[in-house]
Amino acid sequence: MSIRTLTTRELNRATLARQMLLERAPLTIPEGVERLAGMQSQALSAPYIGLWTRLQTFDRTEMTRLIRERTLVKATLMRATLHLFSAADYVRFRTTIQPALDVSLTAVTGNRDKSGFDPAVVLEEGRAFLAETPRTFADITAQFSARYPTADIGSIRYMLRTQIPLVVVPDGGAWAYPGNPKFTLAETWLAQPIPQAPTLRELVLRYLAAFGPATVSDAQTWSGLSKLKEVFEALRPELVTYKEAGGRAEYFDLPNQPIPDADTPAPVRFLPEFDNLLLSHAKRTRIISDQYRDRIFGSGNLRISATILVDGFVAGLWTVESAKKAAALVIAPFVPLAPADRDALTEEGERLIRMIDPEAKMHEVRWKDV
């Protein structure tokens, strides 16, 4: 039996369907977060905007309540970056992601001088310090600078962040979390232990459900884990495979998942900063043309810009400008857009800016044309 070949547009439509971007989904907020296998959360507003653009019904106040009630948690996970997860998924996958956190620790601190402290002792002390009360990184710096005046404190901070399961404590801010976050022990916050058995098989299946069809390298890019080929091979009898049109890549997918036609209409959408749709494949042409990559990732400040999707692909950037009691959503397309697309983006943008800044007296959408 011949293996089906997938074009870039077919990959695009399939991924958009999994990401709830072809059609908004009738899911609850926790169901939406779990469907996406977690959401990048380095920008405070990002998970709110990411769910608003994907769910049929989204209530910002409800999401904040779920965070404060600990149904959703923010923690360092995939690629050693901050993500929002359901509490259940965080507990389920935290140990599985630990090898990626170990690699990140080595990459960040490997060449630094560690002669000023014993890692095992510092981890024990750090756990006790964080168990007392939630702590900021400034608190950690002050504590361990006094304890180990000759040590590289940056290495200590990063070690505590990646080696101890920690969650960010919400506050009363506009986006549930503060700009200067406090961390506490995950087991204390969630009142349950973190299982020590890894769940790699389930993690891969959840990844494919959210981002498939995908290659082994894609899953490794998303998770930060390496050597996932063995997991995919063990799962092969349960999966379907496709070939890359004009290339050699092998795509894996869950069975019975639709591959929408390449010409399936894709509505305009707004993606927040750091959206995982832009970060979860080794080859990103299914969503971003190579000619635009530097405009999204090349700012030099480690930020991933907020983007617009037109016909399913990244077609420009957007920002918010606030002055006094006015809030404007500013759209900057990469190329001139068709009038119908401009009208659709303006209409969608007007709804989005009201969600982002409900207290503003004036809301508008402005265009920063090519």
Side-chain angles (χ1 to χ4, degrees), residues 134-367:
R135 309 286 190 179
T136 65
F137 280 140
D139 295 331
I140 293 171
T141 297
Q143 172 74 5
F144 286 92
S145 293
R147 289 278 294 121
Y148 302 98
T150 65
D152 179 74
I153 300 303
S155 292
I156 289 178
R157 284 197 306 264
Y158 203 77
M159 183 177 68
L160 298 182
R161 173 186 169 189
T162 57
Q163 302 303 297
I164 300 174
L166 303 175
V167 298
V168 183
V169 177
D171 71 349
W175 301 107
Y177 290 104
N180 182 27
K182 291 184 178 182
F183 294 82
T184 193
L185 300 181
E187 293 180 341
T188 301
W189 185 254
L190 298 174
Q192 60 180 305
I194 305 298
Q196 294 306 299
T199 54
L200 267 173
R201 181 182 185 279
E202 185 176 0
L203 185 74
V204 167
L205 293 175
R206 292 286 294 280
Y207 169 73
L208 291 175
F211 295 96
T215 66
V216 175
S217 294
D218 290 333
Q220 292 177 165
T221 296
W222 167 73
S223 64
L225 296 167
S226 61
K227 301 178 181 179
L228 291 182
K229 185 176 181 179
E230 291 183 4
V231 182
F232 275 84
E233 289 300 328
L235 284 168
R236 185 182 288 273
E238 304 173 41
L239 303 176
V240 295
T241 58
Y242 303 98
K243 292 193 299 186
E244 176 187 21
R248 301 173 59 184
E250 180 181 36
Y251 298 107
F252 293 84
D253 202 5
L254 303 179
N256 303 317
Q257 289 288 330
I259 305 294
D261 186 82
D263 294 326
T264 300
V268 299
R269 290 289 185 255
F270 288 86
L271 297 181
E273 295 176 273
F274 301 103
D275 196 277
N276 266 339
L277 179 63
L278 309 185
L279 296 168
S280 300
H281 298 92
K283 185 177 180 181
R284 295 166 179 169
T285 51
R286 71 174 68 195
I287 195 71
I288 307 168
S289 171
D290 285 337
Q291 70 187 101
Y292 300 139
R293 281 177 60 98
D294 288 347
R295 300 179 71 169
I296 300 164
F297 300 100
S299 61
N301 61 0
L302 301 181
R303 297 194 74 84
I304 311 301
S305 299
T307 56
I308 57 171
L309 299 182
V310 177
D311 188 32
F313 293 87
V314 172
L317 311 178
W318 65 275
T319 55
V320 171
E321 295 180 0
S322 298
K324 296 183 179 179
K325 296 184 178 181
L329 189 148
V330 182
I331 304 172
F334 295 147
V335 297
L337 300 179
D341 292 328
R342 287 177 65 96
D343 289 346
L345 283 164
T346 298
E347 182 180 348
E348 185 88 344
E350 287 174 349
R351 292 196 296 268
L352 176 56
I353 191 61
R354 291 178 184 278
M355 189 282 289
I356 291 174
D357 194 347
E359 302 302 321
K361 300 299 182 184
M362 294 178 56
H363 299 90
E364 65 173 327
V365 173
R366 297 203 301 261
W367 286 83

Side-chain angles (χ1 to χ4, degrees), residues 87-167:
D89 272 357
Y90 175 80
V91 170
R92 184 176 291 119
F93 295 126
R94 174 58 179 78
T95 296
T96 306
I97 295 297
Q98 185 60 54
L101 302 178
D102 295 341
V103 169
S104 181
L105 176 63
T106 299
V108 171
T109 69
N111 294 324
R112 296 182 185 179
D113 182 7
K114 301 183 183 64
S115 60
F117 65 95
D118 181 330
V121 172
V122 167
L123 281 174
E124 183 178 349
E125 293 175 347
R127 184 180 290 275
F129 184 59
L130 287 156
E132 293 174 353
T133 189
R135 309 286 190 179
T136 65
F137 280 140
D139 295 331
I140 293 171
T141 297
Q143 172 74 5
F144 286 92
S145 293
R147 289 278 294 121
Y148 302 98
T150 65
D152 179 74
I153 300 303
S155 292
I156 289 178
R157 284 197 306 264
Y158 203 77
M159 183 177 68
L160 298 182
R161 173 186 169 189
T162 57
Q163 302 303 297
I164 300 174
L166 303 175
V167 298

